[in-house]
């Protein structure tokens, strides 16, 4: 009753394109149809789609040429224009209605990573940025995933120890330098990581620089395995500037 009253006063709009929606759920049908979910066969390390199914875990050429620091980084969907709109409205416009949906997408895409994980850890923001943005979208996603997956979450394990410039518009090399050494494991929480299988939650993986910097910090603290799970992953060819 109250929900229906709220709908009349504040008609629900799509969280991606902001047109009025009549159906149940935070996304309009047109935007949902435009989401390019990543489905097997995928590269076992980088999580990018592979052209054919070899019937066993396979690696992409990129993962063989330059193996990533983390063990696996999988994502729910390609970072398309619609996914960018979704993530930006979640991140910058405080549109959180999509959270339960995003958590379900993450749990589905990361079922294998979460199956034997010990701990979920969000990619942290630097504290002044956290203040500015008032919340950490990755922490919200991490709590959402933990609720659906029976894996514990700790938002205070990984810390961003220095402020980093926004990654937007930087090349892969600049991104790597920008976040190198930006993360540290909180010494008071190091015991929670040592010998454990950790899943890092992020919103978007573009070049993987943040994922690698987070993984390196967790590995230094003795994590047995570090996987990364994200809502979206940039998959070449990208038709727009990330
Ligand atoms: Zn829409």
């Amino acid at each position: 009753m109250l929900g229906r009253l709220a709908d009349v006063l504040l008609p629900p709009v799509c969280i991606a394109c902001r047109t009025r929606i009549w159906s149940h759920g935070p996304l309009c049908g047109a935007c949902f149809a435009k989401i390019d979910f990543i489905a097997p066969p995928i590269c076992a390390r980088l999580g990018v789609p592979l052209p054919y199914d070899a019937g066993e875990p396979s690696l992409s050429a990129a993962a063989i040429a330059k193996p990533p620091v983390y063990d696996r980084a999988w994502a729910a969907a390609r970072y398309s224009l619609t996914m960018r709109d979704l993530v930006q409205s979640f991140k910058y416009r405080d549109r959180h209605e999509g959270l339960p949906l995003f958590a379900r997408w993450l749990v589905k895409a990361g079922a294998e990573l979460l199956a034997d994980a010990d701990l979920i850890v969000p990619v942290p923001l630097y504290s002044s940025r956290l203040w500015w943005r008032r919340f950490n979208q990755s922490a919200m996603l991490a709590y959402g995933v933990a609720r659906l997956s029976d894996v514990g979450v700790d938002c205070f394990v990984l810390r961003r120890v220095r402020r980093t410039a926004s990654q937007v518009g930087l090349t892969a090399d600049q991104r790597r330098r920008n976040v190198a050494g930006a993360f540290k494991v909180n010494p008071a929480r190091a015991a929670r990581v040592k010998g454990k299988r950790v899943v890092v939650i992020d919103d978007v993986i573009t070049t993987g620089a943040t994922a690698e910097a987070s993984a390196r910090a967790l590995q230094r603290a003795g994590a047995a395995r570090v996987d990364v799970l994200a809502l979206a992953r940039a998959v070449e060819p990208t038709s727009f500037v990330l």
Side-chain angles (χ1 to χ4, degrees):
M1 188 61 179
L2 278 174
R4 239 175 276 158
L5 185 63
D7 281 356
V8 174
L9 299 174
L10 283 168
V13 294
C14 171
I15 51 175
C17 69
R18 285 183 272 179
T19 57
R20 172 91 165 85
I21 40 177
W22 305 91
S23 56
H24 186 68
L27 262 183
C28 77
C31 286
F32 187 80
K34 275 190 257 168
I35 293 173
D36 197 352
F37 289 103
I38 295 175
I42 61 168
C43 167
R45 300 289 302 277
L46 300 178
V48 294
L50 292 176
Y52 61 89
D53 193 348
E56 54 186 32
S58 310
L59 294 176
S60 57
I64 294 167
K66 194 175 173 298
V69 171
Y70 47 76
D71 290 87
R72 297 168 289 183
W74 292 4
R78 285 174 189 253
Y79 195 39
S80 60
L81 286 169
T82 302
M83 279 308 286
R84 189 182 64 173
D85 289 346
L86 273 181
V87 168
Q88 288 190 342
S89 71
F90 181 52
K91 222 164 153 167
Y92 302 113
R93 293 200 297 272
D94 287 10
R95 294 292 307 268
H96 302 157
E97 307 96 301
L99 185 60
L101 186 66
F102 298 158
R104 285 202 299 277
W105 289 352
L106 285 167
V107 168
K108 188 165 181 244
E112 221 176 290
L113 313 187
L114 295 164
D116 60 354
D118 299 303
L119 186 66
I120 293 171
V121 163
V123 167
L125 293 175
Y126 191 69
S127 52
S128 68
R129 195 168 288 174
L130 185 63
W131 174 252
W132 171 250
R133 230 183 252 166
R134 304 202 304 282
F135 67 96
N136 174 348
Q137 73 285 350
S138 298
M140 295 176 77
L141 292 172
Y143 276 110
V145 170
R147 212 168 294 132
L148 297 177
S149 69
D150 285 341
V151 183
V153 60
D154 192 327
C155 291
F156 304 100
V157 161
L158 206 52
R159 288 200 301 209
R160 201 178 278 246
V161 289
R162 65 178 172 79
R163 198 187 164 85
T164 50
S166 166
Q167 298 276 76
V168 176
L170 299 185
T171 65
D173 237 29
Q174 288 168 330
R175 281 171 186 248
R176 210 170 299 122
R177 279 199 299 271
N178 187 29
V179 293
F183 301 100
K184 288 259 175 342
V185 166
N186 179 353
R189 304 261 176 170
R192 296 207 66 179
V193 170
K194 197 159 198 275
K196 297 291 164 50
R197 293 158 298 194
V198 182
V199 175
V200 178
I201 304 284
D202 204 354
D203 49 5
V204 180
I205 300 169
T206 44
T207 62
T210 301
E212 293 212 289
S214 311
R216 203 169 275 125
L218 289 160
Q219 285 165 355
R220 272 198 200 117
R225 191 182 73 206
V226 181
D227 293 319
V228 182
L229 180 58
L231 268 185
R233 158 141 225 160
V235 176
E236 297 293 337
T238 43
S239 54
F240 60 94
V241 180
L242 296 168

Coordinates of all heavy atoms in Angstrom, one line a residue, residues 13-19 21 26-32 34 82, ligand 1:
V13 N 11.6 5.4 -12.0 CA 12.2 5.6 -13.3 C 13.4 4.6 -13.4 O 13.9 4.1 -12.4 CB 12.8 7.0 -13.5 CG1 11.6 8.0 -13.5 CG2 13.8 7.4 -12.4
C14 N 13.8 4.3 -14.6 CA 14.8 3.3 -14.9 C 16.2 3.9 -14.3 O 16.5 5.1 -14.6 CB 14.9 3.1 -16.4 SG 16.4 2.2 -16.9
I15 N 16.9 3.1 -13.6 CA 18.2 3.6 -13.0 C 19.3 3.8 -14.1 O 20.2 4.5 -13.8 CB 18.7 2.6 -12.0 CG1 18.8 1.2 -12.5 CG2 17.9 2.7 -10.7 CD1 19.5 0.2 -11.5
A16 N 19.1 3.3 -15.3 CA 20.1 3.6 -16.4 C 19.7 4.8 -17.2 O 20.4 5.7 -17.4 CB 20.3 2.4 -17.2
C17 N 18.5 4.8 -17.8 CA 18.1 5.8 -18.8 C 17.1 6.8 -18.2 O 16.8 7.9 -18.8 CB 17.5 5.2 -20.0 SG 15.9 4.5 -19.8
R18 N 16.6 6.6 -17.0 CA 15.7 7.5 -16.2 C 14.4 7.7 -16.9 O 13.7 8.8 -16.7 CB 16.4 8.8 -15.9 CG 17.4 8.6 -14.8 CD 18.1 9.9 -14.4 NE 19.3 10.1 -15.2 CZ 20.1 11.1 -15.0 NH1 19.8 12.1 -14.2 NH2 21.2 11.3 -15.8
T19 N 13.9 6.8 -17.8 CA 12.6 6.9 -18.3 C 11.6 6.3 -17.3 O 12.0 5.4 -16.5 CB 12.4 6.3 -19.7 OG1 12.8 4.9 -19.6 CG2 13.2 6.9 -20.8
I21 N 9.2 3.8 -15.6 CA 9.0 2.4 -15.8 C 7.7 2.0 -15.2 O 7.3 2.5 -14.1 CB 10.1 1.5 -15.3 CG1 10.7 2.0 -14.0 CG2 11.3 1.4 -16.3 CD1 11.8 1.1 -13.4
P26 N 14.1 -2.2 -11.1 CA 14.7 -0.9 -11.3 C 15.2 -0.5 -12.7 O 15.6 0.6 -13.0 CB 15.9 -1.0 -10.4 CG 16.3 -2.4 -10.4 CD 15.1 -3.2 -10.6
L27 N 15.1 -1.5 -13.6 CA 15.6 -1.3 -15.0 C 14.5 -1.4 -16.0 O 13.6 -2.3 -15.8 CB 16.6 -2.4 -15.3 CG 18.1 -2.1 -15.2 CD1 18.9 -3.4 -15.7 CD2 18.5 -0.9 -16.0
C28 N 14.5 -0.6 -17.0 CA 13.5 -0.7 -18.0 C 13.8 -1.9 -19.0 O 15.0 -2.3 -19.0 CB 13.3 0.6 -18.8 SG 14.5 0.9 -20.1
G29 N 12.9 -2.4 -19.7 CA 13.1 -3.5 -20.5 C 14.2 -3.3 -21.6 O 15.0 -4.1 -21.9
A30 N 14.1 -2.0 -22.2 CA 15.1 -1.7 -23.2 C 16.5 -1.7 -22.7 O 17.4 -2.2 -23.4 CB 14.7 -0.3 -23.8
C31 N 16.7 -1.2 -21.5 CA 18.1 -1.1 -20.9 C 18.5 -2.5 -20.6 O 19.7 -2.9 -20.8 CB 18.2 -0.2 -19.7 SG 18.1 1.5 -20.2
F32 N 17.6 -3.3 -20.0 CA 18.0 -4.7 -19.6 C 18.4 -5.5 -20.8 O 19.4 -6.2 -20.8 CB 16.8 -5.4 -18.9 CG 17.2 -6.7 -18.4 CD1 17.8 -6.8 -17.1 CD2 16.9 -7.9 -19.1 CE1 18.2 -8.0 -16.6 CE2 17.3 -9.1 -18.6 CZ 18.0 -9.2 -17.3
K34 N 19.9 -4.4 -23.3 CA 21.2 -3.9 -23.8 C 22.3 -4.4 -23.0 O 23.5 -4.1 -23.3 CB 21.1 -2.4 -23.9 CG 20.5 -1.9 -25.2 CD 20.7 -0.4 -25.3 CE 19.5 0.3 -25.0 NZ 19.6 1.8 -24.8
T82 N 25.4 1.1 -21.5 CA 24.3 0.9 -20.5 C 24.9 0.6 -19.1 O 24.5 1.1 -18.1 CB 23.4 -0.2 -21.0 OG1 22.9 0.2 -22.2 CG2 22.2 -0.4 -20.0
Ligands
LIG1 ZN1 16.2 2.3 -19.1

